[in-house]
Amino acid sequence: MTEASAVVGAGGSVRRIRVLIADDQEMVRTGFRLILQLQPDIEVVGEAADGAECVELARRLRPDVCLVDIRMPKLDGLEVTRLLAGPKAVDPLRVVVVTTFDQDDYVYGALNGGACGFLLKDAGPGLLVEAVRAASRGDALVSPAVTVRLLERIGEMRPAAEAARRADVSSSSPLTGRELDVVRLVAEGRTNQEICSELFVSLSTVKTHMASVQGKLKLRNRVEIAAWAWRSGVVGDR
């Protein structure tokens, strides 16, 4: 098992990433289960056919990651995400939204509701597995098909007064110059390993900078870091 995919439990033991799958289509649940259970570091601990069942199972089983469809009976995926991972959730869980529908309002609703990933169902097995691993590490993964459009749209939504101050971001930001470099690359969709290569630093250094950025800006994951970068005009401000 690699360092990236391992989950360390009590006493330093390595355990598998526990996943709950929620989708109203049995065929989809079966497909996801077969893909994930082929991975030595992942196990599926439960399946739910509707949103209410997903919330109940998630609160009882406490999985490491919940894979949640957008359109489900009883409670839709956005409401499930808010209940399990939103600002008002007690002891929030990590939720990755998986959907057939590539619509901006779904993306914004999922990420604003606390999701740490957003995938299209046709993204492929590799991205599904990586999204689960990223979520278990506290990172976030958004389908490449929607990432650039999402972040650019966030940038376009930046208030005019805030945009006017973009030239002063480097001097007014609580972040160091190197932390701003990391933030820019995150906003451009780079992985931690790609950031290492571009900045000529170690993986542990990148992780340290990421943790510092999250602490200073009160952000939960790399999607929120990227959104902050686009809103504040950091992207392209080199």
Side-chain angles (χ1 to χ4, degrees), residues 73 83 92-93 127 135 147 154 156 158 182 195 200 219:
L83 290 171
L93 293 167
L127 271 179
T147 300
I154 289 172
E156 291 168 1
R158 184 172 57 237
V182 171
I195 294 172
F200 304 102
L219 303 174

Side-chain angles (χ1 to χ4, degrees), residues 22-24 51 67-73 75-81 96-103 105-111 115 118-121:
D23 195 293
D24 60 341
L67 288 177
V68 177
D69 186 28
I70 284 282
R71 294 188 177 180
M72 292 188 293
L75 292 174
D76 67 24
L78 299 182
E79 182 61 23
V80 169
T81 300
V96 175
V97 172
V98 188
T99 181
T100 306
F101 308 99
D102 179 13
Q103 296 181 15
D105 55 344
Y106 287 158
V107 181
Y108 302 140
L111 299 180
F118 187 96
L119 284 180
L120 300 181
K121 287 182 180 177

Side-chain angles (χ1 to χ4, degrees), residues 29-50:
R29 296 197 306 274
T30 299
F32 284 176
R33 184 178 70 249
L34 292 174
I35 290 168
L36 295 175
Q37 290 190 159
L38 285 173
Q39 309 305 313
D41 57 328
I42 298 174
E43 65 174 323
V44 175
V45 297
E47 297 180 25
D50 62 66

Side-chain angles (χ1 to χ4, degrees), residues 140-142 144 147-148 151 182-192 194-195 222 226 230 235:
L141 188 150
V142 179
T147 300
V148 174
L151 295 178
V182 171
V183 166
R184 290 184 187 103
L185 293 174
V186 168
E188 292 169 4
R190 304 291 205 283
T191 65
N192 282 357
E194 288 170 339
I195 294 172
R222 67 195 303 120
W230 282 87
V235 180

